[in-house]
Structures are given as structure tokens and as C-alpha cells.
Amino acid sequence: MQRVYMDANATTPLAPEVLEAMRPYWIDRFGNASSIHLDGQHAHAAVDRARATLAEFFNCHDAEVVFNSGGTEGDNTAIFGLLRPGDHFVTTSIEHSAILAAAERMAELGVEVTFVAPTASGLIDPAEIQRALRPETRLISVMLANNETGVLQPVEEIGRIAKASGVFFHIDAVQGAGKVPFDVRRFGCHLCSISAHKMHGPKGVGAMFVRRGTPVESLLVGGSHERRRRAGTENVPGIVGLAKAAELAMLALEDGTIPRLAALRDRLEAGILALPGTGVNGATPQSAPEGRRENSPGQAQRSPGKDANIGHAPRRGAASLSVHQGPEFRTWESTNPIIVHENSANPVPRVANTTNIWFDHLEGEALVIALDLKGVAVSGGSACHSGATEPSHVLMAMGLNKTRARASLRFSLLRTATEADVDYALKVVPEAVEHLRAISPVTAGTAG
Ligand code: PLP
């Protein structure tokens, strides 16, 4: 059976070039980069070369690159490495769990945390970040692109706010890296986390930009690796693979791959939206009010202001009613022509490979399984905790009700996606949707 993988935001396969680049470092060039003999020197030189490539990728100095085990470690390091009891931390309610769970732990240890809610379109309003700041705020952490909706956040604007306020700024760029023009100086951040396996590199390796002078404490202690910023013998093959993946990602940003991907995504999206009872999460401000109208009575529909967002746990379902279309977003969009694939139906900036679509009158999980059986791999917006399927915290924060959040699917295309992949998905998705709706209709908007 034909298989079409449309879950690139979960992980990606190694690019063949990455595998080839890594190959020698498993067996022939196996040395420990800390050893002084020739084998160690070969490994050390490979890590140095990789560091130079990553410095180019981030647009920073070589000494500002720290290799680690991936996005979770980078995100945890920013939070555990900078915050102390009594500090205040500003983040958002749509971050990855690597941020949210770390924030919750710090809250238990005496750090005050503010989770800023998104607009109904999934955007974080920089003005809300500004409003959340206090004299004791030490760190802001906002993601570059949301993993579920693909919505790009106005990090440059937030970077300016952080600078003006003297607050450290971390960007979780795990989903944006390799998909949008990348420049930590332009973003104005002090820390930035990326992960190799989201961009056709190996799993279990990543890197962090740490701006010179940022007093972030190492999560792991032991040897003096990575200038004492991350103890542990370097994963040389992984680091070499990450560097190759970063090199390929930089090429892909310039060779037409991104607009090609955006066109494929748009065709897929338009084809699915031709089905009745569907809509996009995070793309059209017009699609949001319907979701809000169906909010259950107990669900917060409005972000009631600065203090209401403050707490020790993310406020689920607390989306601001205002869809932010202020001039700063337009400015930000227009300076990033590649990342903004704008048409009248999709005015919110998104990465080119992602669309998140709701389907009324069915269960998202059932559709994921039905599509998998037909050879199409996609992901639902829900997470399984102790056997219970929880609707996506991201979609809930945007104001969707539980039923619609549970009935939402993420399609995220690999860089290598083809027209034939989209053709196949457009054949299979309508069949599966019609079949599921016929056998087990779920009444949209009734469940809480
Ligand atoms: N941050 C975001 C936005 C992600 O999507 C992910 C992975 O899905 C992570 C962090 C964690 O990255 P890793 O899998 O490298 O630990």
C-alpha cells in the first residue's frame, strides 16, 4: 500500500546526505573529542566544523553554540538555568510541554509564572507580553512556530520588548528552524533551542544559541565539555548529522523548496476545506468565531487581563477575543517574505508545511486511525494522558471547544513532499471523513 507521511512536525527521516556525513563517525572516526591523541583530534575537528556551521545557521559566534540532546534539553536549560525562586517568568499557554512542564516545576519552587494566552488565531500579541512584565521578570520564553498550528509568533517584536525591559529572552525554535529565515540577532534573543530530528537530522541531538555573557547554568554537570555549559561526552556522529541537516536547511530556504511546500500545503488545505463542516485552526480569523460561539458555558472565553493570566499552571481555554491585526504584525510579516504565504483566506503567518484542520461530526482520533489504515500518517491535536485522550492545550487556548479540538488534525508535510502525496491524501481524506460521519456521527459542539 502507498504510504504518505504527513507528520513532519512529529519527526522527519534522515536526509541521505546526513546519514553519509555521519557514517564515518560511528566506526572509523570514533574518537572522544576530549582525547588528545589523533583519534580524539579527528572527533574534535568534526565538532569544531559542525559548530561553525551551526554558528552560520544561527548567525552567531562559534562560541555561542552549545550542542545538547535536542529541543527538550534546550527548553529546560533556559528555564532551569536562568530562573531562581522569587523571579518572574513570562511564557505562553501554547508552548510545547518541554516549556510548560518546566515552568510548572519552577512555579512549585517559588518562581512566579505568567502564561500569556493567544488570540483566536493562535498568535501571541506582543502587547500582552509587555503587559505581563514586572520589575522582577527575568525571562520571557516564546516559541518561533507552534508545533500544532504552524503559526509563527512575532518574536522580533517580543525581542525588542525584552531588550527595552532588560529581560532575558528564549525562543523555542524547534518547529521554526529550517522552515523560515533564521537569525538570532534579528530575533533579539539570548537563548534559542533547536532540534535535529525536526529537520531531517538524527534524533537525540540539538543545539542551543547562548548569547555571550548570558548567565545560564548548565543542566548537566561533570566534565568541562562545551565550555562548561553542558557536561557529557559529545555525540560526535549526532553533531555532525545536525550540522549537515542545518546546511541542507539553509539551502532549502533559498532553492524554492519553501514556496513549493507552501503551494502543496495550500492545495491540500483547499481540497480538504471543500468538504462541508471543516475549517482551519490558526489561519483565518474568520474561522475562529464559530469555535468560540460553541464554547461550553464553563469555558473561559476571554482573557480578562494581565492578572487573570497569572498562575502556576497554563490557563486552558483562555483565548483573547481580539484577533490581533495590528501594524507590528504586518511589518513583521512583510520583512519575512518567505514565511508569509498570504492570501485572503490565510492572513496569519504560518510555516509553509503545516495546516491544522477541524472536521465537525467526527472524532479526530478515529480519523487518524482511518487515515493510517489507508496509508496516510497524520497527527491528532490531542495527547494521551493515563489512557484518557485530552484535547490539545494549544487549540483549547485558542478558544476551541473540546469537541472541535478533539476533531482537529494536523497535516505537516516533509520537505520532500510531492504533488502525488497531496493527490493521494485528497483521495483518501474525503473517503475516510464521509465514512466516519456515516457510521458514527459526533454532534459538534455538544460535548464540553
Ligand atoms: N519544542 C517544540 C515546539 C517541539 O515541537 C518539540 C518536539 O515536538 C520540542 C520542543 C521537543 O524537542 P525534542 O523532541 O528534540 O526534545
Side-chain angles (χ1 to χ4, degrees):
M1 192 210 304
Q2 186 169 348
R3 279 210 66 85
V4 172
Y5 182 84
M6 291 191 169
D7 200 14
N9 291 8
T11 197
T12 59
L14 277 195
E17 298 92 327
V18 171
L19 181 60
E20 284 315 308
M22 293 170 72
R23 198 184 292 280
Y25 295 93
W26 294 114
I27 297 176
D28 298 330
R29 302 251 153 138
F30 62 90
N32 184 323
S34 300
S35 302
I36 52 175
H37 47 62
L38 191 62
D39 299 286
Q41 287 170 33
H42 284 317
H44 193 89
V47 172
D48 277 353
R49 282 194 298 276
R51 199 181 304 283
T53 305
L54 265 297
E56 191 190 339
F57 184 80
F58 281 122
N59 187 27
C60 69
H61 297 291
D62 293 16
E64 294 174 311
V65 175
V66 179
F67 291 114
N68 61 20
S69 67
T72 300
E73 185 180 329
D75 289 354
N76 280 201
T77 300
I79 293 172
F80 298 142
L82 267 177
L83 294 169
R84 295 293 166 262
D87 289 339
H88 176 232
F89 172 42
V90 176
T91 187
T92 83
S93 50
I94 57 167
E95 299 299 308
H96 188 268
S97 52
I99 293 287
L100 296 178
E104 283 171 19
R105 180 177 291 182
M106 290 314 282
E108 283 162 16
L109 296 175
V111 170
E112 283 290 318
V113 185
T114 300
F115 297 95
V116 172
T119 66
S121 301
L123 274 168
I124 297 299
D125 181 348
E128 290 287 327
I129 299 284
Q130 174 83 65
R131 260 194 290 282
L133 296 181
R134 303 179 195 165
E136 60 277 19
T137 308
R138 183 160 166 84
L139 176 66
I140 299 169
S141 183
V142 177
M143 65 205 324
L144 176 57
N146 184 267
N147 41 311
E148 295 187 30
T149 60
V151 170
L152 284 154
Q153 303 302 336
V155 290
E156 254 183 275
E157 181 68 16
I158 296 168
R160 282 194 282 275
I161 292 170
K163 183 174 181 189
S165 317
V167 173
F168 293 112
F169 179 32
H170 167 251
I171 298 176
D172 172 346
V174 168
Q175 291 293 344
K179 297 174 187 162
V180 299
F182 210 80
D183 183 342
V184 291
R185 302 275 177 233
R186 187 161 53 78
F187 294 162
C189 60
H190 300 82
L191 300 155
C192 180
S193 320
I194 65 165
S195 180
H197 76 101
K198 306 290 187 183
M199 48 182 200
H200 299 273
K203 292 172 180 57
V205 61
M208 198 176 197
F209 158 71
V210 180
R211 195 195 289 181
R212 198 174 279 169
T214 307
V216 62
E217 270 187 30
S218 176
L219 212 58
L220 301 179
V221 290
S224 56
H225 311 88
E226 298 296 293
R227 298 172 182 245
R228 297 194 176 279
R229 289 169 301 182
R230 201 275 185 179
T233 300
E234 290 89 349
N235 171 2
V236 179
I239 288 169
V240 169
L242 166 64
K244 192 68 190 179
E247 201 180 299
L248 296 174
M250 288 188 279
L251 281 177
L253 285 173
E254 287 173 1
D255 69 0
T257 298
I258 303 298
R260 186 186 71 81
L261 215 48
L264 284 177
R265 185 271 315 272
D266 288 351
R267 188 160 79 80
L268 174 71
E269 188 173 274
I272 297 175
L273 292 183
L275 291 167
T278 56
V280 177
N281 296 314
T284 72
Q286 290 80 7
S287 68
E290 200 180 336
R292 286 201 305 271
R293 228 185 294 129
E294 293 177 7
N295 276 339
S296 59
Q299 188 177 339
Q301 296 201 4
R302 201 174 199 336
S303 169
K306 178 186 165 193
D307 290 330
N309 279 341
I310 297 170
H312 298 300
R315 284 174 48 81
R316 312 256 143 131
S320 163
L321 277 182
S322 62
V323 176
H324 191 99
Q325 292 175 303
E328 62 269 38
F329 281 109
R330 281 198 287 274
T331 309
W332 182 71
E333 287 171 13
S334 63
T335 56
N336 293 280
I338 288 180
I339 59 180
V340 181
H341 190 78
E342 226 182 324
N343 57 45
S344 58
N346 293 333
V348 173
R350 285 183 296 171
V351 286
N353 78 321
T354 306
T355 179
N356 190 306
I357 299 180
W358 51 262
F359 299 81
D360 277 347
H361 310 299
L362 55 73
E363 272 289 341
E365 205 173 65
L367 185 53
V368 171
I369 293 166
L371 292 177
D372 189 38
L373 291 173
K374 287 173 180 278
V376 177
V378 298
S379 149
S382 52
C384 197
H385 301 291
S386 338
T389 302
E390 287 294 321
S392 147
H393 70 280
V394 174
L395 301 182
M396 295 290 286
M398 288 161 59
L400 272 73
N401 66 14
K402 278 190 181 177
T403 305
R404 186 162 279 175
R406 280 210 184 92
S408 295
L409 257 54
R410 175 184 73 191
F411 296 78
S412 52
L413 307 186
L414 290 172
R415 200 190 292 156
T416 49
T418 62
E419 297 284 352
D421 292 344
V422 172
D423 289 343
Y424 187 67
L426 287 180
K427 174 177 153 339
V428 161
V429 173
E431 286 168 6
V433 168
E434 278 157 28
H435 177 68
L436 287 173
R437 283 178 175 167
I439 58 168
S440 168
V442 174
T443 309
T446 52

